[in-house]
Amino acid sequence: VLGEDESPKNLRNLWSERDESDIAFFWHIPKASGSTMKNIMNFCFDLKRAENVRGEPSMTFPVKNVLNMDTHTPKGLQQSLEINLVNSGQIDVLVSNYFLAGSALFTPEHQGRAFTIMRHPIELAESLFHYRKSASWEISYRKKWKHWAFADYAKSDY
């Protein structure tokens, strides 16, 4: 549990009036429609966000509306803090699966307005199971699950 002095300092209360300098903060919970949400923000709302999509992080846009900075790993979040990403004027929304470290990037000048999408835990576990048995490019890939059903996984020690 966070103590009073450890809580996020620069997240604005969602019920307070919106300030033009506020930046949306999407807390991306894996396997809970986060990729869909990022695409909607990018292509439907034309919002700029950071994600390391090519090589070393940089303050460039290799893909439309995607700044090539990493906000999805502790190292990338530290780099984003050091360059003062939220005050750079380069992003409209910050996306991170690290809530506390992500919220630490916000400043009094650019406060965050956090939101997330949650999924039922069993549906999330089933989705993650199917992903991990087929995503051979991922470190979490499990080749031995290839012929398992979700019930086999649920009965296992994994």
Side-chain angles (χ1 to χ4, degrees):
V1 175
L2 290 174
E4 185 177 328
D5 60 338
E6 296 170 328
S7 63
K9 300 279 186 271
N10 294 303
L11 293 181
R12 193 176 301 280
N13 182 326
L14 289 177
W15 305 116
S16 65
E17 190 172 329
R18 186 179 182 285
D19 187 285
E20 287 298 316
S21 65
D22 291 348
I23 296 176
F25 175 32
F26 175 47
W27 176 29
H28 180 185
I29 298 173
K31 309 310 296 171
S33 299
S35 296
T36 299
M37 187 65 208
K38 289 190 294 184
N39 284 330
I40 290 169
M41 291 185 294
N42 189 354
F43 298 112
C44 299
F45 291 97
D46 204 31
L47 297 175
K48 295 183 202 100
R49 63 181 169 83
E51 182 175 345
N52 187 208
V53 293
R54 286 214 185 111
E56 288 298 311
S58 65
M59 293 295 283
T60 62
F61 286 88
V63 177
K64 183 180 189 254
N65 289 339
V66 180
L67 184 70
N68 198 43
M69 287 298 296
D70 178 11
T71 57
H72 293 82
T73 66
K75 180 181 176 186
L77 286 162
Q78 182 62 40
Q79 289 173 331
S80 296
L81 180 65
E82 289 168 3
I83 66 158
N84 205 1
L85 178 63
V86 298
N87 287 344
S88 71
Q90 298 295 307
I91 60 170
D92 302 307
V93 60
L94 178 74
V95 180
S96 184
N97 51 338
Y98 289 92
F99 183 78
L100 292 176
S103 65
L105 298 182
F106 295 100
T107 65
E109 296 79 27
H110 291 93
Q111 294 194 7
R113 292 180 87 77
F115 71 100
T116 194
I117 299 173
M118 294 188 175
R119 187 174 188 181
H120 190 282
I122 300 299
E123 291 176 5
L124 190 146
E126 185 173 13
S127 175
L128 184 58
F129 161 73
H130 288 294
Y131 180 78
R132 291 178 72 189
K133 76 179 194 176
S134 63
S136 59
W137 58 92
E138 293 281 0
I139 196 168
S140 63
Y141 172 63
R142 299 294 184 264
K143 185 177 184 175
K144 63 182 169 183
W145 295 357
K146 185 173 184 168
H147 300 290
W148 282 18
F150 183 62
D152 299 321
Y153 169 73
K155 292 175 190 172
S156 76
D157 290 333
Y158 291 101

